[in-house]
């Protein structure tokens, strides 16, 4: 049972991970997210960037499963997700950043055409869209990630914001 405002917010974020909408998060949701990002940026799965993204997706899944999959069935229910966030991540959002970083790093690399370590705000919004974020929300979020106003979003900006969004009340 979701009882606090914080828990309600975390429960709402569950849908962002449940890519196929089947009511639980599993490895396939992370693979679907990777596949969507690769398709959006016309990047081959067998390329170095594609392989890094799938490796990052697997690392993210393993980290999240370790935090939230309490019954070990390789699926995270909404209740497990909320409990994992509330009990294990609320006071330590950096832990979430640690498990998300390989995936986010690889997704940013796919969206970074010139290899300078950052993606444009527009391309960052495209990545967020692939992860199930509504287009208008993705554009607004990507713009706020550009903390120095240079039109680019660097890994540090993405990882910190992503961790805070999923672990700290707004």
């Amino acid at each position: 049972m979701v009882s606090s405002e914080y828990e309600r917010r975390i429960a709402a974020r569950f849908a962002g991970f449940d890519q196929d909408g089947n009511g639980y998060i599993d490895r396939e949701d992370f693979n679907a997210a990777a596949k969507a990002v690769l398709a959006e940026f016309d990047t081959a799965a067998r390329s170095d960037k594609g392989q890094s993204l799938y490796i990052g997706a697997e690392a993210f899944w393993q980290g999240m499963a370790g935090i939230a999959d309490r019954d070990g069935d390789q699926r995270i229910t909404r209740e497990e997700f909320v409990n994992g966030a509330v009990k294990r991540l609320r006071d330590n959002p950096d832990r979430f950043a640690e498990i998300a970083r390989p995936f986010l790093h690889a997704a940013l690399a796919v969206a970074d055409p010139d290899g300078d370590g950052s993606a444009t705000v527009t391309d960052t919004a495209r990545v967020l869209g692939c992860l199930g974020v509504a287009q208008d929300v993705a554009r607004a979020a990507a713009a706020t990630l550009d903390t120095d106003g240079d039109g680019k979003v660097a890994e540090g900006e993405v990882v910190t914001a992503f961790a805070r969004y999923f672990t700290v009340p707004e």
Side-chain angles (χ1 to χ4, degrees):
M1 172 67 97
V2 177
S3 59
S4 74
E5 179 62 23
Y6 175 76
E7 290 170 344
R8 280 190 288 282
R9 288 181 183 176
I10 292 299
R13 288 162 170 83
F14 176 87
F17 284 106
D18 183 12
Q19 292 278 304
D20 56 14
N22 64 0
Y24 56 85
I25 301 166
D26 62 10
R27 177 178 279 112
E28 288 307 310
D29 291 312
F30 287 85
N31 286 334
K35 184 177 181 180
V37 170
L38 293 174
E40 177 68 22
F41 290 92
D42 196 28
T43 302
R46 293 184 185 254
S47 69
D48 288 345
K49 287 182 177 183
Q51 290 298 295
S52 291
L53 188 60
Y54 277 110
I55 290 167
E58 177 63 20
F60 197 176
W61 160 247
Q62 290 294 328
M64 186 175 285
I67 289 169
D69 184 18
R70 301 321 314 156
D71 60 10
D73 67 353
Q74 296 297 299
R75 299 188 312 184
I76 300 170
T77 64
R78 182 180 305 272
E79 182 179 354
E80 287 175 320
F81 183 79
V82 170
N83 288 337
V86 170
K87 292 179 182 170
R88 292 175 183 81
L89 296 176
R90 184 177 191 176
D91 296 327
N92 187 6
D94 292 336
R95 173 68 180 121
F96 192 76
E98 289 172 29
I99 66 171
R101 184 179 303 278
F103 177 77
L104 296 173
H105 172 81
L108 194 64
V110 169
D112 175 13
D114 62 7
D116 70 352
S118 59
T120 66
V121 170
T122 300
D123 286 342
T124 301
R126 289 172 61 197
V127 170
L128 292 172
C130 293
L131 303 179
V133 177
Q135 194 173 56
D136 57 331
V137 174
R139 282 193 302 267
T144 63
L145 291 173
D146 179 17
T147 56
D148 60 8
D150 67 353
K152 297 259 190 161
V153 178
E155 180 178 329
E157 294 165 318
V158 171
V159 172
T160 300
F162 195 79
R164 297 279 178 224
Y165 176 75
F166 281 100
T167 61
V168 178
E170 296 174 337

